[in-house]
Every structure is written in C-alpha cells, then in structure tokens.
Amino acid sequence: MLDAPVAGLWRCWTEPELLKQWFCPKPWYVSEARMDLRPGGEFFSVMNGPEGERFENIGVFLEIEPQRRLVSTDAFRPGWVPTERAFMVSHVEFEPQGERTRYLARAMHWNEETLKQHEQMGFHDGWNMAADQLETLAKSL
Amino acid sequence: MLDAPVAGLWRCWTEPELLKQWFCPKPWYVSEARMDLRPGGEFFSVMNGPEGERFENIGVFLEIEPQRRLVSTDAFRPGWVPTERAFMVSHVEFEPQGERTRYLARAMHWNEETLKQHEQMGFHDGWNMAADQLETLAKSL
C-alpha cells in the first residue's frame, strides 16, 4: 500500500524527468531516460552507481493501461528485435484505494538461473527502496 | 509479391478457421487455433504431422496494425508470463501494390543457436510453402 494517489504514481512511472528521481535506490541514480508509451515503444534508461558504474537498460513497453497497468521487458529493442538476452518482464499494477494505492510490482524471468541472479543483485531490497522513493515523490506532486 | 489483395491476406492471418487452412506446409495441418488480437492476447495453435506428430505453439501477439503489421512471439503466455523458452518473434508486414501485396514475413531469434536450429527445421522452405498456400487461399476469398 502506497500513501499516494494513483494519478501521481502513474506520472512518476511514465514521465522521464520524474522517473529519474526515484527509479534507482539512492545513491544510485538515473542519468537518462526515454519512454515511448505504446506497445513496442522504447523504454531506455541509464543507471549510475556511486563508484562510476554505468548500466544501460534497453527495452520496450509491452502493454500500457493508463493508471492501471504498465508492462515492459528487456527482451526486445524497438522494432521487436530480440536483445542479446531476455532477462526479465516488469509487470506493474495500480489499484486505487481512496487516496492511497495498492501497488503491485512483479519481475518475471525466463528461467530459474536469471531469477536467482536477480535476487542476488538485491532485487527485493532494491525494489522496496525504489517503491519508498516513488511514494514520497508521488505524494509531493 | 503475393497475387492477392491485402484484405484477404489479413483475414487469412487473423481468422482461426482460415489460418488452419494454410499455416502449415501440407501434409502437416493445424487442428486448433485461438487468436486474441490485442497486445498480450493469446496466439495458440496445434500443428500436426502425417506420422501423428503434434506440436503446441503457445504465444501472444505483440503488435497489431490492421492490414499492415502483425507481430507475435512464443516468449510469453497470456499475462506476459515468460515461457520455458523464448524461441522467436514472427514479424509480418503487408503493403498493397494495386491488387497484389508485398508480403514480408520475418522470424527473429534471441541467439545464433536457435536461428540455426530454425533453419535446420526447414524454415525457408516451410515459410515459402505456407506463403504459397496463403496466397491461394486469400485469392479465393
């Protein structure tokens, strides 16, 4: 349960300038983001770490239902071109509960190996920290 | 170049009862087909061989632009759930040229290994034979 209305959360998830402010657990940060909100449209971001780490995330949106559902994956580049590696699907759902929102963020993987790898990368803590940052930002809009 | 109008080709690609008539090179045949024409909608078919072989193809549509473009993949089940194996993306495009149609059917793969495997399964001959069957059926509508 996030203490922010759906409309603000949706904006934070879909406007690049807002996304950059919460998408990575601090002190990591997003330096670039491009979002083309249609099936097959680009979802690109660059994550940066405090030691100068830099990771490009290339992907596309699969499904967009405004203020309700947002699905994306790194399995394709724009044009539905398969990437080197299909790592995960991000499936996010929003359900209004008065002024608050039931927020469901799932990562789905093609196999046990990448699932475990994602867990070891700190998936649970990372996504929870990002969700806290998301809540704070959405509430402030 | 197919000697049939776009409208008929599109029907053959998107109506299960028509798809079953051309989708496999004979003597193989499709015994079942389900198509839910929206991003993430089910694309299911069962291919049968003359020796009793039976292959279920589970997948979803990625993008639908009526009479212009149809993209699907076996990388997901409905609900964007990753399948056991992401094998290919099917990317089909139609461009009207008077009463004829420029037809472009591409298969894209995640790696060299599955691409080669698909070639060894007889991809080029198979898709060309299916395209001939598609042309004949579409012309007859």
Side-chain angles (χ1 to χ4, degrees):
Chain A
M1 287 298 301
L2 299 188
D3 188 19
V6 171
L9 294 169
W10 183 259
R11 283 189 58 198
C12 291
W13 251 109
T14 56
E15 296 182 18
E17 289 312 309
L18 292 175
L19 185 93
K20 286 158 77 169
Q21 296 175 48
W22 71 268
F23 200 51
C24 274
K26 286 169 184 151
W28 284 67
Y29 67 97
V30 174
S31 56
E32 269 180 81
R34 290 194 299 268
M35 317 181 82
D36 179 9
L37 283 174
R38 57 188 176 87
E42 183 181 36
F43 184 13
F44 174 79
S45 66
V46 181
M47 296 190 172
N48 302 267
E51 313 290 336
E53 305 92 329
R54 185 177 190 278
F55 294 103
E56 292 196 351
N57 299 300
I58 292 166
V60 300
F61 291 103
L62 294 171
E63 188 177 351
I64 301 104
E65 194 179 327
Q67 305 203 10
R68 191 76 186 88
R69 180 181 294 113
L70 191 62
V71 188
S72 59
T73 183
D74 58 7
F76 309 98
R77 301 170 179 277
W80 301 112
V81 179
T83 51
E84 288 66 36
R85 182 178 178 222
F87 181 65
M88 66 172 277
V89 179
S90 156
H91 193 140
V92 181
E93 291 187 314
F94 307 86
E95 193 187 303
Q97 309 261 312
E99 282 305 293
R100 304 175 73 206
T101 302
R102 186 165 178 273
Y103 174 63
L104 181 64
R106 272 186 297 171
M108 300 188 289
H109 302 81
W110 272 271
N111 55 56
E112 198 74 13
E113 184 195 338
T114 49
L115 182 145
K116 289 206 167 125
Q117 198 180 343
H118 203 176
E119 279 178 350
Q120 280 161 12
M121 284 161 65
F123 164 75
H124 291 285
D125 283 351
W127 281 41
N128 277 326
M129 283 172 67
D132 290 344
Q133 296 175 177
L134 167 64
E135 178 181 44
T136 304
L137 180 59
K139 218 173 153 174
S140 76
L141 294 179
Chain B
M1 288 297 301
L2 299 188
D3 188 18
V6 171
L9 294 169
W10 183 258
R11 283 189 58 199
C12 291
W13 251 109
T14 56
E15 296 182 18
E17 289 312 308
L18 293 175
L19 185 93
K20 286 158 77 170
Q21 296 175 48
W22 72 267
F23 200 51
C24 274
K26 285 170 185 151
W28 284 67
Y29 67 98
V30 174
S31 56
E32 269 181 81
R34 290 194 300 269
M35 317 179 83
D36 180 8
L37 285 174
R38 57 189 177 87
E42 183 180 37
F43 183 14
F44 174 78
S45 66
V46 181
M47 295 188 173
N48 301 267
E51 314 289 337
E53 303 93 330
R54 186 178 189 278
F55 294 103
E56 291 196 351
N57 299 300
I58 291 165
V60 299
F61 291 102
L62 294 171
E63 187 177 353
I64 301 105
E65 194 180 327
Q67 304 203 10
R68 190 77 186 89
R69 180 182 294 112
L70 192 62
V71 188
S72 60
T73 183
D74 58 7
F76 309 98
R77 301 170 179 278
W80 301 112
V81 179
T83 51
E84 288 65 36
R85 182 180 178 221
F87 181 65
M88 64 173 276
V89 179
S90 155
H91 193 141
V92 181
E93 291 187 314
F94 307 87
E95 193 187 303
Q97 309 261 311
E99 281 305 294
R100 305 174 73 205
T101 303
R102 186 165 178 273
Y103 174 64
L104 182 64
R106 272 186 299 172
M108 298 189 289
H109 302 81
W110 272 272
N111 55 56
E112 198 73 14
E113 184 194 338
T114 48
L115 182 146
K116 290 205 168 126
Q117 198 180 344
H118 203 177
E119 280 179 349
Q120 280 160 13
M121 284 161 66
F123 163 75
H124 290 285
D125 283 350
W127 281 41
N128 277 325
M129 282 172 67
D132 290 343
Q133 297 174 176
L134 166 64
E135 179 180 44
T136 303
L137 180 61
K139 217 173 153 174
S140 77
L141 295 177

